[in-house]
Amino acid sequence: MAKIQPLAAAASPSSSDDQWRQQAYTVWMKSLVFNGNGCTVYGPDGAVAFRVDNYGCRGGREVFFMDRAGNALIRIRRKGFGMFRRWEVCQCAHNGGQEEEATPWFSVRRAEKDGAAVAMHGGAGTCYTIDGCSARKSEYRVRGVDGAVVAEVARKQTPAGVVLGDDVLTLTVAPEVDHLLFLGLVVVRGLIDRSL
């Protein structure tokens, strides 16, 4: 399988020395499966790390986030209709080839001003917010309760300065947070704007 060349996280003018310890993933909003809907996530080493394949229609009710071996790690289900729509995310546990067990993890719902709110299961309200959930924007940030940016998604840029298409993104995640959670948020955001 082809590799994507890893690109070191570039420092922005507002970033500190912590920027160099952050992990950067490349997210290609296309499926590796012919005529499939989904996305592919390349790790910092340039190899395929995760994938989402939705064999049904675009924006399906249930999507699985899998590792490179095809084991489901996260199950995302769309619930509700219209302005009451939300996405419930569960972590999948494998028990020796038996049926997978899913543990509720977090939910995402649209918020005002082109944003989304993330609430952890069993938590006391919103713990993360996604700024910029407009279908026209491929760049957005995830902020914690204190307002600090914990993850950022932007269009991928080559070392020569060429900005790639709207479907090739770079996800930069802070080192102290669960990377799988923010990779799941990228997938949910793709479902919100119907790009998956």
Side-chain angles (χ1 to χ4, degrees), residues 2 16 18 64 79 97 109 121 128 138 156:
S16 65
D18 291 340
F64 289 94
K79 304 260 182 155
R109 63 174 172 73
H121 182 72
Y128 296 107
S138 58
K156 183 146 179 107

Side-chain angles (χ1 to χ4, degrees), residues 26-43:
T26 299
V27 181
W28 186 32
M29 300 302 279
K30 299 284 183 193
S31 175
L32 292 176
V33 177
F34 182 69
N35 283 339
N37 298 311
C39 70
T40 307
V41 178
Y42 297 89

Side-chain angles (χ1 to χ4, degrees), residues 133-144:
C133 279
S134 170
R136 290 172 254 113
K137 295 170 82 177
S138 58
E139 299 168 354
Y140 51 95
R141 293 185 170 137
V142 180
R143 298 183 185 275

Side-chain angles (χ1 to χ4, degrees), residues 110-150:
R110 282 189 182 267
E112 49 192 61
K113 296 186 182 178
D114 290 334
V118 181
M120 302 303 285
H121 182 72
T126 301
C127 59
Y128 296 107
T129 57
I130 303 173
D131 298 335
C133 279
S134 170
R136 290 172 254 113
K137 295 170 82 177
S138 58
E139 299 168 354
Y140 51 95
R141 293 185 170 137
V142 180
R143 298 183 185 275
V145 176
D146 59 355
V149 175
V150 291

Side-chain angles (χ1 to χ4, degrees), residues 9-10 19 22-25 149-154 170-174 182:
Q19 178 75 22
Q22 295 178 343
Q23 291 250 322
Y25 295 93
V149 175
V150 291
E152 188 171 9
V153 177
T170 298
L171 168 66
T172 307
V173 183
F182 294 101

